[in-house]
Structure formats: C-alpha cells, structure tokens
Amino acid sequence: MSSANPGLAYQDTPPLSAPLRFFLTAPLFGLAAGLLLLFDAELLSSRWTPGALAVVHLFAAGFMLQVMLGALLQILPVAAGAALPAPRRIAATTHALLALGAASLSLGLGAGIPAAIVTGAMLLAGGLIAFLVSSLIALAKAAPNHGASRTPRDLRLALAGLTVATLLGTLLAFALGRGLALPIDLPTAVDMHAVWAWMGWGGILLAATSWVVVPMFQITPSYPADFTRVWSPATLALLVLWSICMISGLSTGALLCGIGLLIAAAAFSLQTLRLQMRSRRGVPDAPFRAFRLAMLALLASLGVLLLAQFHDGSQWPVLAGVLILHGTFVGTISAMLYKIVPFLAWLNLTQSGVRAPNVKKLLPDPPVRRQLQLHAVALGALCAAAVIPALAPLAGVLIVAEFSWLFVNLVQVVREWHRASTL
Amino acid sequence: MTSIAELMTHDHRSCDHEFAAAETLAARKDWPAATKALNRFTSSLETHFQAEEQELFPRFEAATGMTQGPTQVMRGEHVEMRATLERLASALENQDADEFAGEAETLLIMMQQHNMKEENILYPMCDTRLGAQSEAVVGNLSHRLAREHAA
C-alpha cells in the first residue's frame, strides 16, 4: 500500500497474530496478581508493601499495557491513518520484551530482588521504545488530519504521556535497584510515575478511544466538540504544572493542580455516563454495562483520592488504586476486548475468503456476561479487602477466576476461528 | 458552507439511528416492525453507498488520479456490508432473534470501523483535494441523501 492512501486498506491492518499475542498473554498477568493476593493476607495493608507494588505492576504493565499496545496496533491505522512499519516484527519484539519485563519487574518488586527490578525495567523500556519509535514513524508518515475527530491528536498526546511515565519508571527502577540518587524524594517520584502512567497515558488513551468508541459503538450522541477539543490538552497541561509544583515543593500549587486533574477525570466520567444514558441501542449488552460500571468506579476513585488529601489512613490510597486499576481500566479493557477479538477473528476469516461465523457465534453472550458479572463481584471483594486487608485472599480467589475466565473466553474465539478457517 | 466530511458524517449517524431501531425491535421479537425498520435502514445505507460510489468516489478519483486507492477499498467494504444486510434480512424472515443479533453486532463493528476510516481520513482528503469542486459535490450529495430521507 502506498503512503498516498494511508490506513485505508485492509493490507494496512496488521496480521491477526500481531494484536492477538498481546491480548492472549495479558490475562495471565491478572491471574498472577490474583495468586499473589491469595497467598499474602497482608498485601493490601498499605500501597508500599512489596506485594502491593508487584500486584500493581502485574495489572498495569502486565495486563493493561499489553492490551493497550495490542489495540493501538489496530486502531492507529483505522483512526489516525498511521500504519506501523513491519507490524509483525514490532509486535513480536514489543510483546516479548513487555511480557518478560513485566514479569521480571513484578518479581523484583515483590521479592525484593534489585537485579530483577532493573532488568525488568530495562526490558519494559526497550519494548516501549521499539513501539514508540515505530508509531512515531507511522504518525509522521500519516496524512495530516483535517477531520473533526480529536482522536488522532489525542492518541499522540497519550503516547507522549507514555514516554514520560516510562522515563520516570526507569529512573525509579535504577533508584531502587542500583541506588541512583534522585533529585526528589522517592514517594514524590513514585506519585509522579503513577499519575503520569494513569492520567497521562491511560486516561488520555481511554479518552481518545472513547471519543470514537462510545458514540459509534454504543450509538450515543457525540461528545460535545468543545469538550473533546479541550480535555486532553488541558489534562496534559495540568499534569505538567502539577509535576513542576511537585518537583519544586510548591505544595499548594500541587494540591490545586491535583484537584484540577480530579475534576478533569470526573468531567470525563460524567460526560461518558450522560452519553451512555442516551444510547439508542435498546438492550445494553454486558460489555456496555461493564463500561458504565468502570465509569462509576472512576468517579468513586476520585472521591476516595479527594478524601485521601485530607484524611490520613493507609487504606485510602489502596482503595483508590483498586478502583482505578481494577474498576476503571480492567473493566473498560475487558469490555473492549470482547468487542475487538471476535471482530478481528471475523475480519481475518472474511479477508481470507472464508464464510465467517458472525461475532456472536465466535463468542456467545452468556460466558461474556457471566465473566463480566464475576469482574463486578471481584471488584467488590477487592474494595472490601482494601479496607479490611485480611479479605485479600478472598479477593485473590475471585481475581484468579476472573482472569482465567477471560483467558478461556478469548481462547474460545481463537478455537472457533481455527475451526472455521480449516473447514 | 457545509463540508463533505460534515454532511457525510451526519448521514452516517442518521443511518446508525435506523440501525439501532431495527436492532431494538428485533430483540423484542416485534417482527413486522423490525422488518419495516430494517428496510428503512437498508434503503438509507444503500443511498449513502450509492452517493459515494456514483458521485463522491468518481470525483475524488478524477481529481487525484487514484483509482486503485482508498476508494477501491471502501467499495470493497460496501460489498461486505451489503452481504451482511442480506443475512440480516434472512434472519428476520426466519424470525431468528439470535442470528439477527449476531449479524447485527458484526455489521455494526464492520460499519463503524469503515465509517472511522472515512470520517477521519477519506472525507477530509476529499474536502482538501476537491478544492473548488467541493461546493457542487456537497450540493449533489445532499440532494441524493435528502431524496432518500424525504421518501
């Protein structure tokens, strides 16, 4: 495909194996996080326990990051006209480095092995650099975008957020693993890494995706044009200001910017819920309801974060983390996976000239519905365990079941795809 | 002046609403109403496809010299969607709600990834490349689309 007509050809769609490898291994990291919770009843007593740090990175770097990058391989050509050069090779390299990196980093943090922390961070950074460089090349080659949608611009902003989060994470790994002296204290650096990863990368990516996914797939009115024009740049600007205040020790400024970020996240969540209430699709399906629950979890997490500003207590940051990581991101990501994976299998079969079974034959509704119900129950148990840490093993059992089931459901699609393609 | 992107994007959304009506009625197993709604949706989508295939794409191809490029890909996707529409109609004939739901979900994702490419890439390219012709093209397209919606 020539670059004269970027992104419009089937040929520019990466091969099925490229995103699929990310989607299939990601749930295994969620499963590992559940196992850790199962065997460590003290894990959620504070955000600083080695087990909590390991679980956070199993979720964030193991599950979320993998699915997000796998999905970007697919969405960059369609939404931004940017097809990654050599997608098969980039996918294989990034995937291997990310998976090994997330495993090593989590092991290092959980078991206190400095060498594994540094190795994990370097593998992760290597995978991310490979991905970021190739997506920058693709975006630079893409035709300039004159469309009304802010998605292409905001995908770029999210990649900028990912770059900052990666840089901060790598510095932290060297501080922990090699004793690198940081110019700021460790908790501040950790907060900066977490906020850049959640808001600068995850939040902006979720928003950029929602601008198209919510109106188009849930058939709702569009997000207001002024809202999508301002939201991501304002969020990024607040993040920069907040970081400057944090580094310079301006605590009032940091508090105000932090509240500004909470307001931005709340506005996104409320706006999305408002649009979802006006969906024209008659019967909201399970992924739709899971997405709505995720928006409610996001709102709840903001309330908890606000509370944590004014009330000491180690349970508040843990509860907020649970609501953001598991409630918001695992929820939206699971909902999207259930739409993306069957469709990619269908598209692959159709392109190969095979009469493809429809997406609900590739993955029927009942197992999806039950798995997402289990996700909601697991979220409830995790929230309870954040307040009563002794409940962590119960939450662990449910998380293990949730991610095993997600994995089984996705494998089911691959089996149906295989069966149809060999008929 | 309305741009090609604005006009055609607006028509995508109005087709979406007709799709949603048919899907909702079929889920309720209100077969006669679902059949009417599906016919309305099929007719709107067909008008949209024809407006592109007979008016917009040839103009784009003439202006850019690209006949095997993006417009060819979009035509190919129209063929896929027409085939799925036929399967939807036959699911309704058989009063098979599950089959309809599965085909409808497939069509929706197919249609929206197609729309995303048009709205984010192809239509803005048309607006840029057609230059002075744009006004006439918008006039012709709105005439075709309005005739459908008046019917």
mmCIF file of all heavy atoms in Angstrom, chain A residues 69 72 113 177 204 244 265-266 268 331 348 368 391:
data_model
loop_
_atom_site.group_PDB
_atom_site.id
_atom_site.type_symbol
_atom_site.label_atom_id
_atom_site.label_comp_id
_atom_site.label_asym_id
_atom_site.label_seq_id
_atom_site.Cartn_x
_atom_site.Cartn_y
_atom_site.Cartn_z
ATOM 1 N N LEU A 69 -1.313 -1.617 24.015
ATOM 2 C CA LEU A 69 -0.423 -1.548 22.856
ATOM 3 C C LEU A 69 -0.936 -2.449 21.731
ATOM 4 O O LEU A 69 -0.886 -2.079 20.556
ATOM 5 C CB LEU A 69 1.007 -1.928 23.246
ATOM 6 C CG LEU A 69 1.695 -0.967 24.218
ATOM 7 C CD1 LEU A 69 3.167 -1.336 24.374
ATOM 8 C CD2 LEU A 69 1.590 0.480 23.783
ATOM 9 N N LEU A 72 -3.617 -0.586 20.084
ATOM 10 C CA LEU A 72 -3.120 0.550 19.299
ATOM 11 C C LEU A 72 -2.610 0.117 17.931
ATOM 12 O O LEU A 72 -2.757 0.841 16.953
ATOM 13 C CB LEU A 72 -1.997 1.259 20.049
ATOM 14 C CG LEU A 72 -2.395 2.442 20.928
ATOM 15 C CD1 LEU A 72 -1.153 3.048 21.550
ATOM 16 C CD2 LEU A 72 -3.151 3.513 20.150
ATOM 17 N N ILE A 113 14.227 -8.193 44.780
ATOM 18 C CA ILE A 113 15.458 -8.576 44.068
ATOM 19 C C ILE A 113 15.863 -7.404 43.169
ATOM 20 O O ILE A 113 15.282 -7.209 42.087
ATOM 21 C CB ILE A 113 15.228 -9.839 43.197
ATOM 22 C CG1 ILE A 113 14.614 -10.967 44.036
ATOM 23 C CG2 ILE A 113 16.529 -10.289 42.533
ATOM 24 C CD1 ILE A 113 14.110 -12.139 43.218
ATOM 25 N N GLY A 177 16.975 -0.226 42.457
ATOM 26 C CA GLY A 177 17.822 -1.385 42.196
ATOM 27 C C GLY A 177 19.314 -1.093 42.236
ATOM 28 O O GLY A 177 20.127 -1.973 42.519
ATOM 29 N N ILE A 204 -5.627 9.523 29.064
ATOM 30 C CA ILE A 204 -5.767 10.195 27.760
ATOM 31 C C ILE A 204 -6.051 9.157 26.665
ATOM 32 O O ILE A 204 -6.855 9.394 25.763
ATOM 33 C CB ILE A 204 -4.528 11.069 27.447
ATOM 34 C CG1 ILE A 204 -4.479 12.229 28.454
ATOM 35 C CG2 ILE A 204 -4.586 11.610 26.020
ATOM 36 C CD1 ILE A 204 -3.321 13.186 28.277
ATOM 37 N N ILE A 244 5.677 20.162 37.920
ATOM 38 C CA ILE A 244 6.596 21.256 38.263
ATOM 39 C C ILE A 244 6.428 21.619 39.743
ATOM 40 O O ILE A 244 7.403 21.795 40.472
ATOM 41 C CB ILE A 244 6.334 22.488 37.353
ATOM 42 C CG1 ILE A 244 6.736 22.144 35.909
ATOM 43 C CG2 ILE A 244 7.108 23.716 37.846
ATOM 44 C CD1 ILE A 244 6.313 23.178 34.882
ATOM 45 N N ALA A 265 -10.909 14.302 35.351
ATOM 46 C CA ALA A 265 -11.304 12.888 35.281
ATOM 47 C C ALA A 265 -12.797 12.733 35.566
ATOM 48 O O ALA A 265 -13.498 11.968 34.898
ATOM 49 C CB ALA A 265 -10.471 12.066 36.267
ATOM 50 N N ALA A 266 -13.296 13.526 36.547
ATOM 51 C CA ALA A 266 -14.722 13.445 36.875
ATOM 52 C C ALA A 266 -15.563 13.920 35.690
ATOM 53 O O ALA A 266 -16.599 13.326 35.363
ATOM 54 C CB ALA A 266 -15.025 14.296 38.111
ATOM 55 N N PHE A 268 -14.814 13.772 32.552
ATOM 56 C CA PHE A 268 -14.816 12.723 31.519
ATOM 57 C C PHE A 268 -15.815 11.614 31.874
ATOM 58 O O PHE A 268 -16.622 11.188 31.052
ATOM 59 C CB PHE A 268 -13.406 12.139 31.350
ATOM 60 C CG PHE A 268 -13.391 10.866 30.554
ATOM 61 C CD1 PHE A 268 -13.621 10.895 29.189
ATOM 62 C CD2 PHE A 268 -13.195 9.632 31.163
ATOM 63 C CE1 PHE A 268 -13.654 9.725 28.448
ATOM 64 C CE2 PHE A 268 -13.227 8.455 30.438
ATOM 65 C CZ PHE A 268 -13.443 8.511 29.064
ATOM 66 N N GLY A 331 -12.015 -3.016 33.816
ATOM 67 C CA GLY A 331 -13.406 -3.019 33.345
ATOM 68 C C GLY A 331 -13.526 -2.584 31.891
ATOM 69 O O GLY A 331 -14.103 -3.292 31.060
ATOM 70 N N ASN A 348 -10.437 -11.460 9.814
ATOM 71 C CA ASN A 348 -9.389 -12.309 9.253
ATOM 72 C C ASN A 348 -9.995 -13.408 8.371
ATOM 73 O O ASN A 348 -9.510 -13.662 7.265
ATOM 74 C CB ASN A 348 -8.555 -12.915 10.389
ATOM 75 C CG ASN A 348 -7.503 -13.875 9.872
ATOM 76 O OD1 ASN A 348 -7.780 -15.046 9.684
ATOM 77 N ND2 ASN A 348 -6.301 -13.369 9.608
ATOM 78 N N VAL A 368 -19.603 -14.329 28.244
ATOM 79 C CA VAL A 368 -19.129 -12.947 28.384
ATOM 80 C C VAL A 368 -19.861 -12.274 29.548
ATOM 81 O O VAL A 368 -19.247 -11.639 30.412
ATOM 82 C CB VAL A 368 -19.387 -12.158 27.073
ATOM 83 C CG1 VAL A 368 -19.138 -10.673 27.260
ATOM 84 C CG2 VAL A 368 -18.536 -12.717 25.945
ATOM 85 N N LEU A 391 -9.171 -9.694 54.008
ATOM 86 C CA LEU A 391 -10.019 -10.271 52.957
ATOM 87 C C LEU A 391 -9.264 -10.474 51.637
ATOM 88 O O LEU A 391 -9.858 -10.972 50.664
ATOM 89 C CB LEU A 391 -11.235 -9.378 52.704
ATOM 90 C CG LEU A 391 -12.276 -9.302 53.831
ATOM 91 C CD1 LEU A 391 -13.349 -8.268 53.504
ATOM 92 C CD2 LEU A 391 -12.920 -10.672 54.045
#
